[in-house]
Amino acid sequence: MGLLEGKVAIVTGAGRGIGAAEARLFSEEGALVLATDIQFRSNLQEIDTASSLLMMHHDVSESESWKIVVDIACSHFGKIDILVNNAAIARYGTLFDQSQQDLENHFRVNQLGTFLGMKAVVPSLAKTKGCIVNTSSIAALRATPGVFGYAGSKWAVRGMSKNAAVELAPLGIRVNTVLPGMIDTQMMRDAGEEAAAQYEQLVPCGRIGTPEEVARVVAFLVSDRASYITGAEFKIDGGLYT
Ligand SMILES: NC(=O)c1ccc[n+]([C@@H]2O[C@H](COP(=O)([O-])OP(=O)(O)OC[C@H]3O[C@@H](n4cnc5c(N)ncnc54)[C@H](O)[C@@H]3O)[C@@H](O)[C@H]2O)c1
């Protein structure tokens, strides 16, 4: 029996990278998964014959878009047990060269998107005693110059997650946070090969991580095996920020 047998999960930003690995692994572990991404063109696209993994277009920064996602999960799968707020953007730049628009863009997708997602699923999760995993970053553990708007938004995700964990615990809803380090996805590649190679040399484990290595931690956190874990933060960085 899979780790997530009988669970219904929503994973945002599942078009590629870490979110795609999470959606795939959850499905392999027996969950019914609604994978959403702004890149997905169709409103609802069935991608396997058993309909256990669905993909739909979704902009996490739009509250109306969240209503549709929740409606589809409930009407197609009957309930929601799990939300993984994974979608994010990262644009490189310092305080000096990022504009107000850059900051607002990071706020809208990374912070507001996480906030709207939590709000949208709370009524459903209260019924199933479900759980949320929010995706922060090691950029929210200490100063990370060069990703000004991104780092600020990821600190905000940490803060919101802690408050939500305490506020939602009486409803039986768990909220945890993952903080990936350098993971081999398009987002990391956008930093440029030189920056990636420099960081890699600093990682005690001697290599960058894979999306699957993050997905495995998240799968544990959303499973019943983590039933007494809430308000916790899991750094997945090969020891980089130790
Ligand atoms: N890759 C890393 O090294 C790293 C490190 C720390 C944290 N993270 C975090 O992990 C998560 C996944 O990152 P990734 O590396 O897979 O990134 P990625 O850029 O490869 O994938 C992000 C996905 O989010 C989607 N997305 C962007 N804006 C959206 C929106 N408004 N609505 C819905 N979907 C949207 C994109 O289309 C994309 O498919 C992010 O929260 C990121 O901040 C990644």
Side-chain angles (χ1 to χ4, degrees), residues 89 91 100-110:
I89 57 165
R91 305 284 176 263
Q100 177 174 337
Q101 191 60 56
D102 288 328
L103 197 86
E104 285 175 2
N105 291 344
H106 285 99
F107 162 75
R108 283 193 63 77
V109 180
N110 303 2

Side-chain angles (χ1 to χ4, degrees), residues 120-219:
V121 298
V122 161
S124 303
L125 296 189
K127 290 182 201 150
T128 56
K129 308 290 179 211
C131 63
I132 298 170
V133 168
N134 291 328
T135 311
S136 180
S137 166
I138 58 164
L141 285 174
R142 56 173 84 154
T144 312
V147 283
F148 198 84
Y150 176 78
S153 69
K154 290 295 179 176
W155 278 93
V157 169
R158 282 186 72 194
M160 291 196 304
S161 302
K162 283 186 176 287
N163 282 330
V166 173
E167 290 175 8
L168 299 180
L171 300 178
I173 301 172
R174 298 184 296 108
V175 184
N176 291 297
T177 312
V178 288
L179 299 91
M182 275 207 338
I183 308 298
D184 185 16
T185 69
Q186 190 57 47
M187 184 180 281
M188 196 214 74
R189 282 175 226 128
D190 288 346
E193 277 179 29
E194 202 181 318
Q198 276 171 4
Y199 270 117
E200 192 169 13
Q201 285 182 345
L202 301 173
V203 179
C205 283
R207 63 173 178 85
I208 59 173
T210 66
E212 290 72 24
E213 286 174 310
V214 178
R216 286 199 288 272
V217 176
V218 176

Side-chain angles (χ1 to χ4, degrees), residues 4 6-12 14 22-27 30-36 52-55 66 69 72-74 77-85 121 125 128 131 218-219 222-223:
L4 303 177
K7 305 282 189 195
V8 174
I10 298 169
V11 180
T12 70
E22 289 166 344
R24 231 174 9 247
L25 179 60
F26 288 11
S27 180
L32 302 171
V33 182
L34 182 54
T36 78
S52 63
L53 178 53
L54 302 176
M55 295 192 293
W66 272 107
V69 167
I72 293 208
C74 292
F77 293 141
K79 61 172 181 166
I80 302 169
D81 298 288
I82 296 162
L83 169 66
V84 180
N85 277 314
V121 298
L125 296 189
T128 56
C131 63
V218 176
V222 299
S223 77

